[in-house]
């Protein structure tokens, strides 16, 4: 491989990465990639004869970058130093990209839409990243501690994969301060009394799904689409697959929806409506604001782990057009600001430590968003409440707390 060949190939991979992040895998074509760097489609096929080969290469290089960051951080002496280094590397990458350097960090949500052979290999590579991040916390003494370290690694990675989205709200001049606050919140948690976890039950349950109740067919479509998009990404959740999951025809699907994008937007709307209802019920609880917030977090994690219709992962937004994507991000930010309101009131009354509420609210959003991916992890617990408490212990006591 000559230097010129390598540079051109790298430019193609980076252009594809940008397009995947902006429009999703399906909308990323060799023609569009070629146009983005001033080539014709034939020239791109010289480097990547098939689109799938290019997509897999983009994912491989992103995972390799994550692996490199994890390995560099693992070389630090203590768990706290490793976490700080991992966060620092991600913030520095976003800084360089914002300042004009080409950077490769592709959303990985559509890996499961690829052919099984590609998917298996990529997921195996990603598990190596998780293994390295799990090693930040040392050698687990038993299965319980292994489960705790695993979920801490998962939440830390999720926080860094969500960081590129909400980092746009800050100037690069503010990045050093934001980085410090991210590390503080992840390492020490949110409540003024570390480890305090006494969530209350929320009345109402209008956000819950019951298998015993008769549902409208459109509700069935929303449930099937939400689960399938969470599992397989936007591209993998085809109209055919959604219809087959419900044992209905494509005609029945189009009777309710003009296009798949309409269904995806309705899934987002339903998910955010449910999340909002839980927040509002939590605000009406008796007790301090950490009690209210922890009750909301417990309920939402329960939905993500155990409800037949979980909340839609925000990673699905990458496949939406710019107008719909803006609407979804705006709604997500409103919900995050409501969490920030819980935190501000909790700081004033003393139940929440003096954290940056805007940064903490985004860590809360990424933690809840990543809870769906931890469903199989949660299913291994005999007690669902114990699974939720363990998962959310990153928020209640910090990622460095000793296992109970």
């Amino acid at each position: 491989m000559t230097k010129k060949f390598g540079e051109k190939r790298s430019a193609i991979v980076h252009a594809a990465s940008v397009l995947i992040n902006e429009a999703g895998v399906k909308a990323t074509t060799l023609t569009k990639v070629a146009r983005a760097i001033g080539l014709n489609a034939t020239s791109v096929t010289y480097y990547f004869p098939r689109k799938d080969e290019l997509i897999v290469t983009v994912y491989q290089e992103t995972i390799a970058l994550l692996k490199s960051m994890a390995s560099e951080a693992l070389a630090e002496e203590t768990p706290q130093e490793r976490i700080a280094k991992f966060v620092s590397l991600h913030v520095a990458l976003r800084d360089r990209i914002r300042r004009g350097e080409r950077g490769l960090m592709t959303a990985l949500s559509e890996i499961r839409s690829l052919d099984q052979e590609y998917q298996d290999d990529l997921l195996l590579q990603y598990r190596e990243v998780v293994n390295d991040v799990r090693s930040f916390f040392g050698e687990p003494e038993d299965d319980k501690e292994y489960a705790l370290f695993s979920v801490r690694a998962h939440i830390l990675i999720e926080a860094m994969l969500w960081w590129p989205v909400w980092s746009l709200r800050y100037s690069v001049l503010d990045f050093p301060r934001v980085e410090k606050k991210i590390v503080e919140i992840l390492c020490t948690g949110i409540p003024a009394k570390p480890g305090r976890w006494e969530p209350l039950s929320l009345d109402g349950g209008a956000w819950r799904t019951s298998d015993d109740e008769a549902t409208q067919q459109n509700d069935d479509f929303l449930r099937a689409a939400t689960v399938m998009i969470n599992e397989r990404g936007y591209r993998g959740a085809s109209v055919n697959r959604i219809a087959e999951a419900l044992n209905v025809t494509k005609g029945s699907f189009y009777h309710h929806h003009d296009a798949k994008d309409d269904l995806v937007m309705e899934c987002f709307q339903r998910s955010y409506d449910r999340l909002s209802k839980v927040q509002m019920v939590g605000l009406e609880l008796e007790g301090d604001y950490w009690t209210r917030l922890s009750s909301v977090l417990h309920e939402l994690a329960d939905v993500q782990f155990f409800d037949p219709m979980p909340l839609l992962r925000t990673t699905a937004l990458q496949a939406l057009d710019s107008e719909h994507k803006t609407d979804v991000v705006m709604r997500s930010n409103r919900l995050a600001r409501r969490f920030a309101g819980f935190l501000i009131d909790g700081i004033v009354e003393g139940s929440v430590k003096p954290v940056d509420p805007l940064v903490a609210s985004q860590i809360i959003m990424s933690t809840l968003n990543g809870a769906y991916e931890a469903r199989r992890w949660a299913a291994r617990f005999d007690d669902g409440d114990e699974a939720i408490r363990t998962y959310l212990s990153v928020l209640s006591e910090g990622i460095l707390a000793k296992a109970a």
Side-chain angles (χ1 to χ4, degrees):
M1 184 185 295
T2 65
K3 181 180 179 182
K4 184 177 180 181
F5 181 96
E7 289 174 347
K8 190 68 71 176
R9 182 180 182 278
S10 177
I12 292 169
V13 171
H14 280 83
S17 172
V18 171
L19 284 170
I20 291 171
N21 283 339
E22 289 180 350
V25 168
K26 184 178 180 181
T28 299
T29 65
L30 295 181
T31 301
K32 288 181 179 178
V33 172
R35 190 181 303 130
I37 54 176
L39 296 176
N40 58 51
T42 304
S43 298
V44 172
T45 58
Y46 175 70
Y47 298 87
F48 298 97
R50 294 170 53 239
K51 172 183 165 178
D52 279 353
E53 293 179 19
L54 174 57
I55 300 301
V56 169
T57 301
V58 170
Y59 283 142
Q60 285 176 334
E61 296 203 9
T62 292
I63 294 172
L65 179 56
L66 285 170
K67 171 77 171 171
S68 173
M69 290 174 162
S71 297
E72 185 174 344
L74 188 56
E76 298 292 323
E77 289 293 323
T78 67
Q80 183 163 358
E81 289 172 334
R82 293 164 190 161
I83 293 163
K85 184 67 173 181
F86 191 62
V87 173
S88 174
L89 291 169
H90 280 270
V91 173
L93 172 63
R94 196 53 40 187
D95 186 319
R96 296 197 303 273
I97 292 172
R98 288 273 291 274
R99 294 179 187 275
E101 179 182 311
R102 287 189 313 184
L104 180 69
M105 183 59 76
T106 315
L108 303 175
S109 59
E110 294 192 272
I111 283 180
R112 289 193 175 92
S113 70
L114 301 176
D115 291 344
Q116 197 66 45
E117 58 177 311
Y118 298 134
Q119 183 185 142
D120 290 344
D121 184 55
L122 289 168
L123 291 175
L124 185 62
Q125 294 174 43
Y126 182 75
R127 278 195 289 274
E128 292 180 6
V129 177
V130 176
N131 289 339
D132 281 351
V133 178
R134 184 194 297 117
S135 297
F136 287 3
F137 308 104
E139 191 67 31
E141 296 181 358
D142 51 32
D143 291 344
K144 184 177 180 180
E145 196 164 66
Y146 181 87
L148 177 63
F149 289 175
S150 294
V151 86
R152 286 177 173 177
H154 170 71
I155 291 174
L156 177 56
I157 294 171
E158 283 285 327
M160 292 300 93
L161 293 179
W162 183 238
W163 154 247
V165 177
W166 63 274
S167 66
L168 296 173
R169 302 175 64 186
Y170 291 89
S171 162
V172 293
L173 299 176
D174 296 316
F175 277 13
R177 177 187 171 278
V178 174
E179 176 188 323
K180 181 180 178 182
K181 298 304 177 183
I182 292 172
V183 174
E184 285 178 0
I185 293 162
L186 286 171
C187 287
T188 63
I190 292 173
K193 182 180 179 182
R196 182 184 164 205
W197 186 252
E198 301 163 340
L200 304 176
S201 297
L202 300 189
D203 295 329
W207 49 86
R208 289 287 185 174
T209 306
S210 173
D211 286 329
D212 298 329
E213 297 176 2
T215 58
Q216 299 295 321
Q217 190 171 59
N218 191 47
D219 291 335
D220 293 334
F221 275 121
L222 289 175
R223 185 190 304 189
T226 297
V227 171
M228 197 163 294
I229 293 169
N230 281 354
E231 288 285 346
R232 304 180 66 91
Y234 177 88
R235 182 189 179 204
S238 65
V239 173
N240 278 337
R241 283 183 173 141
I242 294 170
E244 287 173 6
L246 296 172
N247 198 27
V248 298
T249 64
K250 286 178 65 176
S252 178
F253 174 92
Y254 287 114
H255 174 73
H256 294 279
H257 304 278
D258 292 333
K260 189 172 88 172
D261 280 356
D262 295 332
L263 177 62
V264 175
M265 284 303 296
E266 196 170 343
C267 288
F268 270 119
Q269 188 68 33
R270 179 69 64 88
S271 289
Y272 286 162
D273 284 348
R274 295 165 72 201
L275 199 161
S276 179
K277 287 176 182 176
V278 176
Q279 288 179 320
M280 297 311 295
V281 171
L283 281 171
E284 299 301 318
L285 289 174
E286 297 292 331
D288 58 48
Y289 276 92
W290 171 246
T291 297
R292 301 180 198 193
L293 177 57
S294 58
S295 302
V296 170
L297 296 176
H298 181 281
E299 186 69 16
L300 291 171
D302 195 290
V303 168
Q304 290 293 70
F305 284 163
F306 307 117
D307 196 88
M309 183 176 175
L311 304 177
L312 186 66
R313 283 175 58 82
T314 49
T315 45
L317 66 85
Q318 73 179 117
L320 298 173
D321 60 52
S322 58
E323 182 179 351
H324 286 136
K325 188 181 296 184
T326 299
D327 289 343
V328 169
V329 172
M330 185 179 298
R331 184 84 191 271
S332 174
N333 284 334
R334 287 173 184 163
L335 295 168
R337 281 197 293 271
R338 189 173 292 153
F339 279 131
F342 278 88
L343 295 167
I344 292 168
D345 290 338
I347 292 168
V348 170
E349 71 178 9
S351 65
V352 172
K353 67 176 60 173
V355 297
D356 184 310
L358 296 178
V359 175
S361 67
Q362 293 295 344
I363 293 175
I364 287 172
M365 291 295 283
S366 70
T367 301
L368 293 174
N369 187 58
Y372 181 82
E373 285 289 331
R375 271 199 166 200
R376 293 181 182 85
W377 171 88
R380 300 190 187 106
F381 284 75
D382 295 328
D383 182 352
D385 284 345
E386 178 66 13
I388 294 169
R389 188 199 66 76
T390 302
Y391 183 81
L392 293 175
S393 65
V394 169
L395 301 178
S396 67
E397 58 187 0
I399 208 166
L400 295 176
K402 293 290 186 182

